[in-house]
Amino acid sequence: MTAPSTTAADITAVTANASPSNTALLELYREMRRVRTFEERVGELFVRGQSAGSMLHLSIGEESAAVGVASLMQDGDTFTTHHRGHGIFLARGADPKRMMAEIGGKEEGYCRGKGGSMHIADMGLGHLGANAIVGGGIPAVIGAGIASKREGKGAISVAFFGDGAMQQGILYESMNMAALWDLPVLFVCINNQYGMGTRIEQATKGRNLHERALAFGLRSQTVDGIDVRDVREASSALIDAARSGRPGFLAIECYRFFGHARMDKSPYRSEEDESQGRAQDPVKFARNTLLEAGESDEAELDRMDKEIVDEMDATIEFTIDCKEPQLGSMFRDVYAPGEPEPEAVITRIDRILAGE
């Protein structure tokens, strides 16, 4: 098969000057606020010493990317995320209590506490897995795209990743295969301006990331993430095309409000840089837009925010009260059903010493 041709119309850059309808903006705001508040509680769980492991990567500042794309996905669609994927999974309908329990390493978590913050997955919601390896989850959507194409049910698979993955070869191999085989796949680069402590212009000369996808015949676009409506509008066109076997690439420009991980205090960023970056707040922008358009008022939004705070506060107490996983559960989901579980080393040593 030949890759689809790309015209000048496919090379579109949506800016914050666009003025799509405010229809459903209140619901988009609500979902972004849920993501923001959940991530704030993840940070609190860490401070309390209740999280599993020492690495947590917050997506505060990237809410429009998660909600704008995920709000258009359907039952049967699949996706992968990077290590900063809490918000994406929540926007796809994840239970915040089970998510927090997983981050806390508890039995009631999505992966029974074995995945933690960076390896959450749930096949029921189409989540093929988060991945701590930069770009590691991208090729999985190629397999999912092949399966979807053969089934012919119109499902798509979306790979979410950060700008750091733009330097990974597996991305380019995957884009080439998606275009060559006309797969129902969308690549979504959440460009938060930093790969760990490296500013993007120090990592790549060409910052128009969507242009790289054009070389493979993908329909590609860059959108400013300050307005979730713009993200949703850009996503809609690309998702519709992907469902028809025309894969695409979307780069979403945003700003990572905090350090790479929870303990990173961002010594590589100036106060001016952080001040300017945090001014591009998609949650605040949506709230102000609703107020200025008269589609909501302060009292209504405050009530909504309070309900969300109560919902997310409950995730911490739920997690603290959850059970620690039993040692023997480490082998669950690792071996095929019916296969005998391996013998623990300490048990084997005791057996040998006992002469059994």
Side-chain angles (χ1 to χ4, degrees):
M1 297 182 181
T2 59
S5 60
T6 304
T7 67
D10 296 317
I11 311 173
T12 308
V14 177
T15 70
N17 294 324
S19 300
S21 169
N22 285 336
T23 302
L25 180 58
L26 184 62
E27 181 58 27
L28 293 172
Y29 168 79
R30 178 181 180 276
E31 290 306 308
M32 288 197 296
R33 178 61 72 182
R34 291 181 75 239
V35 171
R36 171 73 57 91
T37 308
F38 179 83
E39 292 287 61
E40 290 171 347
R41 296 303 176 270
V42 171
E44 182 179 337
L45 190 76
F46 176 85
V47 172
R48 288 190 181 200
Q50 297 288 339
S51 60
S54 60
M55 296 294 284
L56 293 170
H57 306 81
L58 305 180
S59 62
I60 294 176
E62 305 175 10
E63 293 85 359
S64 65
V67 174
V69 178
S71 64
L72 292 163
M73 295 175 67
Q74 303 173 1
D75 291 345
D77 292 344
T78 58
F79 64 102
T80 62
T81 72
H82 50 346
H83 53 273
R84 204 179 303 279
H86 305 153
I88 298 165
F89 191 26
L90 187 61
R92 275 300 293 139
D95 179 347
K97 287 186 176 179
R98 290 188 65 193
M99 282 185 66
M100 194 67 78
E102 185 60 39
I103 294 169
K106 298 298 183 69
E107 179 71 24
E108 289 84 348
Y110 272 102
C111 301
R112 301 186 178 92
K114 294 185 291 185
S117 172
M118 291 188 282
H119 297 282
I120 294 176
D122 181 65
M123 298 302 174
L125 289 175
H127 193 345
L128 304 180
N131 205 304
I133 299 173
V134 176
I138 294 172
V141 303
I142 298 301
I146 293 172
S148 177
K149 183 175 181 178
R150 289 181 174 177
E151 290 176 352
K153 296 181 179 179
I156 63 167
S157 194
V158 182
F160 292 92
F161 50 92
D163 50 282
M166 292 301 299
Q167 324 311 330
Q168 296 290 87
I170 192 65
L171 169 62
Y172 300 100
E173 294 179 32
S174 298
M175 288 196 294
N176 185 56
M177 293 175 73
L180 185 63
W181 295 338
D182 301 318
L183 299 182
V185 167
L186 178 62
F187 301 92
V188 178
C189 176
I190 303 176
N191 179 9
N192 64 21
Q193 312 305 314
Y194 283 89
M196 295 189 72
T198 303
R199 181 82 181 183
I200 186 169
E201 54 260 33
Q202 296 176 319
T204 179
K205 188 69 172 178
R207 291 194 55 197
N208 294 324
L209 302 182
H210 74 280
E211 292 181 351
R212 303 187 192 184
L214 295 175
F216 297 95
L218 297 183
R219 285 149 184 81
S220 62
Q221 190 166 333
T222 292
V223 62
D224 189 333
I226 192 171
D227 192 338
V228 66
R229 298 168 302 171
D230 290 344
V231 177
R232 195 173 192 275
E233 183 178 54
S235 302
S236 179
L238 291 171
I239 285 175
D240 287 347
R243 293 195 192 283
S244 300
R246 294 172 291 165
F249 177 99
L250 179 64
I252 305 171
E253 299 275 347
C254 51
Y255 188 83
R256 190 188 74 203
F257 279 25
F258 297 102
H260 170 67
R262 181 59 181 81
M263 297 178 67
D264 175 15
K265 300 187 183 301
S266 301
Y268 44 83
R269 303 198 303 200
S270 67
E271 291 185 7
E272 181 182 8
D273 180 20
E274 292 196 342
S275 178
Q276 291 177 349
R278 290 177 183 176
Q280 306 300 304
D281 186 335
V283 180
K284 184 177 180 180
F285 183 90
R287 184 186 179 98
N288 290 341
T289 300
L290 287 167
L291 294 174
E292 292 169 3
E295 296 195 2
S296 187
D297 55 38
E298 291 279 4
E300 179 184 11
L301 295 179
D302 287 346
R303 283 195 300 271
M304 180 183 292
D305 292 350
K306 178 61 167 58
E307 291 173 358
I308 293 170
V309 166
D310 291 343
E311 176 191 18
M312 298 309 170
D313 281 348
T315 67
I316 292 184
E317 300 310 316
F318 174 80
T319 298
I320 292 174
D321 292 340
C322 283
K323 303 189 299 284
E324 297 283 347
Q326 296 296 310
L327 183 62
S329 69
M330 72 170 72
F331 300 119
R332 195 183 309 165
D333 303 321
V334 176
Y335 294 87
E339 287 291 318
E341 292 184 353
E343 185 180 17
V345 173
I346 187 64
T347 304
R348 183 167 179 246
I349 292 175
D350 289 343
R351 180 172 54 76
I352 292 173
L353 293 176
E356 296 179 4

